[in-house]
């Protein structure tokens, strides 16, 4: 695939191209909302499939190894998978919250200051609920509080 045609991240998961805005187009119109709804639903479905695959893998691969080292290695593998799935479970909740924001016509605007988050930022991170300035400021404050 040529370098310029590579699709990355959630756009690739949904199988969609980057949204092409037209001149004078209203921010978060029906077409844009549908674009993001499609991305979010595809992402959620992909994460749910991962959960199902992990469950099946753990059931199929579960064995009572007589060797303690083999048993420990399997338990560690399962532990890592469960931690990853827990993070994905939390992400699924955030995706569902974002889908609800689309339904409530509250998607695409910063929760802190109310300005537009921006199409490209939302395509990079569809669950973003802050504009880049507010998010940067929040991260700086978080680092100051931790350090």
């Amino acid at each position: 695939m040529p370098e310029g045609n590579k699709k990355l991240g959630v756009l690739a998961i949904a199988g969609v191209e980057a949204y092409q805005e037209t001149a004078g187009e209203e921010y978060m119109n029906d077409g844009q909302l549908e674009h993001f709804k499609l991305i979010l639903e595809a992402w959620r479905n992909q994460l749910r499939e991962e959960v199902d695959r992990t469950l099946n893998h753990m059931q199929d691969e579960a064995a009572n190894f007589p060797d303690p080292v083999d048993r420990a290695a399997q338990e560690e593998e399962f532990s890592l998978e469960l931690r990853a799935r827990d993070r994905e479970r939390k992400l699924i909740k955030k995706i569902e919250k974002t889908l609800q924001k689309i339904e409530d016509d509250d998607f695409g605007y910063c929760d802190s200051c109310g300005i537009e988050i921006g199409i490209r930022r939302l395509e990079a991170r569809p669950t973003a609920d802050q504009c880049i300035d507010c998010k940067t400021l929040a991260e700086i404050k978080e680092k100051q509080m931790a350090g």
Side-chain angles (χ1 to χ4, degrees):
M1 183 177 257
E3 192 67 32
N5 292 337
K6 286 186 179 178
K7 290 191 287 183
L8 302 173
V10 293
L11 293 177
I13 291 169
V16 299
E17 298 292 328
Y19 187 84
Q20 298 301 316
E21 298 174 74
T22 58
E25 182 177 22
E26 183 182 339
Y27 183 70
M28 284 303 131
N29 61 38
D30 290 340
Q32 291 174 2
L33 291 174
E34 192 59 38
H35 174 74
F36 287 108
K37 189 174 181 180
L38 177 70
I39 291 170
L40 288 162
E41 288 173 346
W43 194 13
R44 180 182 60 187
N45 292 340
Q46 185 254 352
L47 290 170
R48 285 180 175 166
E49 288 171 9
E50 273 298 313
V51 169
D52 291 342
R53 273 197 295 275
T54 298
L55 182 60
N56 292 334
H57 170 71
M58 291 179 78
Q59 289 172 342
D60 293 344
E61 297 296 318
N64 192 8
F65 292 109
D67 181 23
V69 174
D70 290 340
R71 191 168 43 247
Q74 183 184 50
E75 288 176 9
E76 181 64 20
E77 176 191 340
F78 285 177
S79 175
L80 290 172
E81 284 188 46
L82 289 173
R83 282 186 19 215
R85 295 303 88 78
D86 187 52
R87 284 193 303 273
E88 289 171 353
R89 179 187 55 80
K90 291 175 184 173
L91 181 54
I92 289 171
K93 284 185 179 182
K94 193 168 186 179
I95 290 169
E96 288 172 349
K97 177 184 163 196
T98 304
L99 284 167
Q100 186 59 49
K101 287 178 95 172
I102 290 174
E103 294 300 316
D104 296 341
D105 285 332
D106 197 24
F107 177 74
Y109 297 92
C110 179
D111 287 350
S112 299
C113 68
I115 68 165
E116 298 174 358
I117 293 175
I119 300 292
R120 297 299 163 243
R121 174 162 165 70
L122 288 169
E123 283 182 330
R125 190 66 169 171
T127 57
D129 53 10
Q130 290 182 313
C131 66
I132 194 68
D133 293 335
C134 290
K135 184 64 176 174
T136 302
L137 187 59
E139 288 175 356
I140 291 169
K141 286 180 182 177
E142 185 179 319
K143 283 180 185 176
Q144 288 176 342
M145 298 302 276

